[in-house]
Amino acid sequence: EPEVTQTPSHQVTQMGQEVILRCVPISNHLYFYWYRQILGQKVEFLVSFYNNEISEKSEIFDDQFSVERPDGSNFTLKIRSTKLEDSAMYFCASSQQGAFTEAFFGQGTRLTVV
Amino acid sequence: AQKVTQAQTEISVVEKEDVTLDCVYETRDTTYYLFWYKQPPSGELVFLIRRNSFDEQNEISGRYSWNFQKSTSSFNFTITASQVVDSAVYFCALSGSNGFQKLVFGTGTRLLVSP
């Protein structure tokens, strides 16, 4: 069964460093998303991406964040200068037809900023 | 603005008991979608169900059933004859129909099923 794959599963980084979280969405999906879950809290929307551009972003997704689809298969989330409060589980998701089909989530990348 | 409320923070049951997880939502959209996701201890989010706002039929899938009531803005989830493997955090979520699936999640209900 096709699945969304995220790497790495866990990343530890020093405050102020740049990190790139990687995702391989399901191959025939056209809509891509990043969500964040701070430990023990709810899952929060960060950004949606379609047709090589951001379609919507939340207030969390400030200038420190960027997304990219560098090739036909990968979808990345970059945090330019990490802060302690960026420590969270980051989930990538993809859907075939946006709101009209369900989104499938990857297993998550746990980011720890020290 | 859209909002999802899961008032039950944690529920503990003994195996084979039935359990219902509550979900109440708020939206001004006339067309919207409701979801349930399961997050087991391993951390991933597992899709369980998606319903659109025009389909109020209850759904049953094995031991799982969902009761959608537009009149009370609720989308409750019942597990019949619970098992230890059902132990997880369950999230209810809502999205509009503007073309993109921005999910608004509730705070989740942690279900503990003991043997």
Side-chain angles (χ1 to χ4, degrees), chain A:
Chain A
E1 187 176 317
E3 59 181 19
V4 177
T5 306
Q6 290 185 243
T7 55
S9 55
H10 190 189
Q11 176 141 8
V12 181
T13 188
Q14 295 227 329
M15 195 167 52
Q17 295 294 304
E18 174 183 286
V19 294
I20 297 176
L21 309 183
R22 291 185 165 78
C23 170
V24 178
I26 295 174
S27 62
N28 63 344
H29 286 189
L30 302 175
Y31 297 79
F32 313 112
Y33 312 87
W34 283 100
Y35 288 80
R36 179 181 86 172
Q37 184 182 31
I38 293 173
L39 187 64
Q41 298 187 22
K42 67 178 175 181
V43 181
E44 299 173 291
F45 169 80
L46 290 178
V47 66
S48 58
F49 190 87
Y50 170 74
N51 201 25
N52 283 320
E53 59 182 26
I54 290 173
S55 49
E56 188 173 356
K57 58 184 180 180
S58 71
E59 58 271 15
I60 302 169
F61 194 89
D62 61 22
D63 292 342
Q64 294 297 316
F65 291 88
S66 62
V67 290
E68 197 177 31
R69 189 152 161 82
D71 52 42
S73 58
N74 290 284
F75 180 50
T76 61
L77 174 69
K78 182 194 289 187
I79 309 175
R80 285 190 187 80
S81 178
T82 49
K83 308 188 215 27
L84 293 176
E85 54 265 36
D86 293 327
S87 294
M89 181 78 96
Y90 288 81
F91 290 102
C92 173
S94 69
S95 66
Q96 192 171 40
Q97 294 178 28
F100 307 108
T101 51
E102 58 268 28
F104 290 91
F105 284 76
Q107 79 280 20
T109 293
R110 180 164 297 286
L111 176 65
T112 303
V113 183
V114 296

Side-chain angles (χ1 to χ4, degrees), chain B residues 27 40 71-72 76-77 83 107 113:
Chain B
T27 180
S71 59
T72 56
N76 296 339
F77 173 31
Q83 299 175 1
T107 49
V113 183

Side-chain angles (χ1 to χ4, degrees), chain B residues 74-107:
Chain B
S74 65
F75 186 45
N76 296 339
F77 173 31
T78 297
I79 302 175
T80 303
S82 58
Q83 299 175 1
V84 172
V85 293
D86 295 328
S87 296
V89 180
Y90 291 87
F91 290 98
C92 180
L94 167 70
S95 80
S97 62
N98 65 350
F100 304 97
Q101 197 173 91
K102 172 188 169 182
L103 290 167
V104 174
F105 282 82
T107 49

